[in-house]
């Protein structure tokens, strides 16, 4: 088994599914998140279908805020976003349809960090981005 990577960005899907990840050794030794993931998580409680789900999503957001110091979408990420969007367009994908993922990818590219994701298809065809798939077993009972 190879040693974990020293640093890497967890995308939003991975942050949400952290409790279900079968092998934490597949994650980076220093997991990071972005301000874009915090933005995505902030939407969750506001669109929850009921109070119970709203409370669970709010707790998840607060846990992420407590556990991580997020990397910002700054000027370097904005410049990298141009390269990310161009990569997506060249392959026929529309950057606007996956804007959050493209912004997370831009932050990763700007910092030369891999993205650890449970949804690698969200990041396919982005030149210069190292994508690491994180395996998550299906929920119990499925």
């Amino acid at each position: 088994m190879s040693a974990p990577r020293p640093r890497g960005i967890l995308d939003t899907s991975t942050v949400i599914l952290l409790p279900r990840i079968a092998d934490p050794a597949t994650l980076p030794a220093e997991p990071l998140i972005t301000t874009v993931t915090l933005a995505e998580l902030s939407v969750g409680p506001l669109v929850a279908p009921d109070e119970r789900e709203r409370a669970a999503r709010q707790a998840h957001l607060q846990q992420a805020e407590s556990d991580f110091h997020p990397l910002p979408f700054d000027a370097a990420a904005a410049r990298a976003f141009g390269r990310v969007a161009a990569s997506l367009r060249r392959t026929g994908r529309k950057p606007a349809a996956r804007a959050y993922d493209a912004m997370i990818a831009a932050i990763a590219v700007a910092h030369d960090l891999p993205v650890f994701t449970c949804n690698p298809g969200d990041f396919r065809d982005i030149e210069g981005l190292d994508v690491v798939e994180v395996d998550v077993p299906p929920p119990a009972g499925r």
Side-chain angles (χ1 to χ4, degrees), residues 84-96:
V84 167
S87 289
L88 292 171
R89 285 185 184 190
R90 279 193 292 276
T91 61
R93 296 177 70 198
K94 296 181 180 181

Side-chain angles (χ1 to χ4, degrees), residues 23-45:
D23 184 6
T26 62
L27 298 174
E30 182 184 350
L32 306 164
I33 67 169
T34 70
T35 53
V36 178
T37 289
L38 282 184
E40 284 190 278
L41 291 174
S42 295
V43 174

Side-chain angles (χ1 to χ4, degrees), residues 42-67:
S42 295
V43 174
L46 302 173
V47 298
D50 56 54
E51 286 301 318
R52 183 173 171 214
E53 183 65 20
R54 186 176 346 278
R57 291 179 183 188
Q58 184 66 35
H60 201 94
L61 167 63
Q62 289 173 324
Q63 188 68 54
E65 289 173 331
S66 171
D67 289 347

